[in-house]
Amino acid sequence: MQDPAVLKGTKDGYEIILDDNAKVDDIFVSLHHLLDNLRTQTASANPQTIAFDIYTGMRLWSADDRSEIEKIFANYDYFSVHKITSDVITKEESNRILEQESVHIVDRIIRNGQEVHVQGDVLFLGKVHEGGKLLVSGNVYVLGDVRGVIQAGTPDFEDKMIIGDVHNAQQVRIGEQFEILDDTNRKIDNSTVIYVNDLHVLDYGKVEALKQINPKFFNQIGGVMNG
Amino acid sequence: MGKSYVITSGKGGVGKTTSSANIGTALAMLGKKVCLLDLDIGLRNLDVVLGLDNRIMYDIVDVATGRAKLAQALVKDKRFDDLLYLLPAAQNADKSALNQDQVVEIVDELKPDFDYILIDCPAGIEQGFMNAIAGADSAIIVTTPEISAVRDADRVVGLLEQHPLQESPHLIINRIRQHMMKDGSVMDVDEITHHLGVELLGIIIDDDAVISTSNHGEPIVLQPDNPAGQGYRDIARRLEGESVPLMELKDETQPSFWKKIGNWFKKG
């Protein structure tokens, strides 16, 4: 029978594969054996710390069991856990990713004193009244009327953008950069892209220039790079 | 079974108390039985506006804490036999002297005996505001055409969305100065209504008589020819389900030809 914990070399370093059908207790025993063997084999005059990637296949390890694994590694001076990966995720995690990745349609009035937080991108069709705040972790595409504060890339993602007509807004913010529109003389219309440039300053461009402004985003939405 | 309305605004000084007194009086004039509840504890003045301040024996905190029966504390307005009552606020307590359950209890006790219960809300959005909306089935938001009042009204609409009442709120735009609205120096009625997204219940034209009559403890609705009084009477009829057209704003800045000539003679 194959050991429940097997060492494998990869181009990034060492990976320990834990059999997803084996009993957890058996895996722990096997892991101990494996590390004991490794310690004797790698014993040298100036040993270096080795960080292992641990791959658990189709089994999702609980937080308790994960810390158990780390405890085992803590017994060995020169071994540590780099990361634990698997092919499966929890529903909670998948929902989070789904939320993060999808474009949410927000069609409501955000009134004075109200704050709306959204994870992911937002297509905004509603109204932000003066004193209201729309705080989005991703990009914002504005078709509605913004007269309050609008932020993309909340709290500190500077690769996000605000696209659309926000000329009535009190403030635009991306990540940690902000601008009070009253103080600037920008021409903003429905083809304006607001983004953070290489100097970490808010900048204004046109949708036509999106390819230059943010090539990564342009690829993601399916634009043809070399077309 | 009566219906309770909270009259609120967020901002102070826009006419919540005046509106409460006048809408209440106008409803009583239509033959409805009305109880006004003053929740502006510590700074009561609904009684003064109605001219009932000399008749107060007990107040709402006395009722809530069991020192008095509800019937003992209600002050009757003798001008409308048995139709208009006031439950006054306490003077020597602060807004934390009441909680939401007590207000709900008092309103529930009043509902079988009255057609309308109008709750005069204190300014602000703290405990006093929460108490006031707890007892209400619907809200009447009072604002003026000033930006600061509209902003606060917007805030209050937002709070009401978070604590929804049975019915969506209504809007009164108070203190309209016709010439300023005509020349565009303040937001006009449509702009305010559209901005707030709240159903318009009525508009009240600014008039000096509103202040002078309230100084005598006599609500403006009792004056048959006054435009502000007319505004409040229209509101009462709309609350009763009648459809009353909105009052038209007159342009005061452009005096008529004959008036101009008249002024010319006066100057000479």
Side-chain angles (χ1 to χ4, degrees), chain B residues 27-229:
Chain B
L27 285 165
M29 287 163 75
L30 293 175
K32 296 291 150 187
K33 211 171 165 195
V34 181
C35 185
L36 297 165
L37 231 65
D38 192 352
L39 280 193
D40 201 349
I41 292 164
L43 291 169
R44 75 172 177 218
N45 39 37
L46 186 52
D47 51 323
V48 182
V49 173
L50 288 163
L52 299 173
D53 49 322
N54 53 354
R55 296 169 195 277
I56 295 174
M57 303 299 291
Y58 298 102
D59 57 49
I60 190 165
V61 175
D62 291 327
V63 176
T65 53
R67 282 197 294 267
K69 291 242 160 45
L70 186 55
Q72 291 176 299
L74 288 178
V75 181
K76 181 158 90 172
D77 190 329
K78 288 191 169 167
R79 286 169 290 196
F80 308 94
D81 46 22
D82 222 25
L83 286 174
L84 186 62
Y85 286 82
L86 168 71
L87 182 57
Q91 280 290 48
N92 304 314
D94 63 36
K95 289 179 178 81
S96 59
L98 274 184
N99 63 37
Q100 301 183 12
D101 296 338
Q102 289 168 324
V103 176
V104 172
E105 201 177 316
I106 290 171
V107 172
D108 283 346
E109 200 177 333
L110 289 167
K111 270 185 181 171
D113 297 330
F114 290 92
D115 298 313
Y116 287 93
I117 295 139
L118 304 182
I119 305 169
D120 186 18
C121 180
I125 50 173
E126 300 88 17
Q127 169 95 46
F129 170 78
M130 291 300 170
N131 286 345
I133 65 168
D137 299 326
S138 180
I140 296 174
I141 294 162
V142 182
T143 185
T144 69
E146 266 177 273
I147 293 286
S148 52
V150 175
R151 291 277 170 92
D152 287 1
D154 190 36
R155 179 92 180 86
V156 165
V157 176
L159 289 171
L160 287 169
E161 280 168 0
Q162 280 163 34
H163 308 269
L165 306 180
Q166 276 175 29
E167 217 179 79
S168 53
H170 309 270
L171 180 69
I172 293 178
I173 303 172
N174 196 9
R175 298 244 177 88
I176 292 178
R177 298 201 194 165
Q178 306 185 58
H179 61 279
M180 292 186 83
M181 213 170 251
K182 284 276 180 193
D183 68 21
S185 49
V186 295
M187 291 171 86
D188 71 24
V189 171
D190 285 343
E191 267 178 279
I192 298 170
T193 313
H194 184 248
H195 179 80
L196 292 175
V198 174
E199 183 207 339
L200 185 66
L201 181 63
I203 58 173
I204 308 296
I205 288 163
D206 194 30
D207 197 292
D208 291 348
V210 175
I211 298 171
S212 56
T213 53
S214 100
N215 283 345
H216 297 120
E218 194 182 281
I220 192 75
V221 279
L222 296 175
Q223 310 242 330
D225 299 327
N226 186 285

Side-chain angles (χ1 to χ4, degrees), chain A residues 10-30:
Chain A
T10 68
K11 63 178 194 297
D12 302 324
Y14 296 102
E15 188 177 59
I16 296 174
I17 300 169
L18 304 182
D19 188 347
D20 46 18
N21 288 317
K23 281 189 195 159
V24 174
D25 290 338
D26 292 347
I27 291 177
F28 287 149
V29 172
S30 168

Side-chain angles (χ1 to χ4, degrees), chain A residues 154-207:
Chain A
T154 312
D156 56 2
F157 312 118
E158 294 197 343
D159 58 333
K160 303 301 178 194
M161 296 177 290
I162 298 171
I163 300 177
D165 189 356
V166 292
H167 77 277
N168 279 325
Q170 293 172 319
Q171 294 173 20
V172 288
R173 305 179 184 172
I174 295 174
E176 289 171 339
Q177 312 305 324
F178 66 92
E179 195 147 81
I180 294 155
L181 288 187
D182 249 2
D183 298 348
T184 63
N185 236 343
R186 302 286 190 178
K187 280 265 174 290
I188 298 177
D189 58 30
N190 51 20
S191 68
T192 299
V193 180
I194 307 177
Y195 62 101
V196 178
N197 65 17
D198 297 339
L199 304 167
H200 299 282
V201 175
L202 280 192
D203 211 345
Y204 298 70
K206 289 278 164 199
V207 174

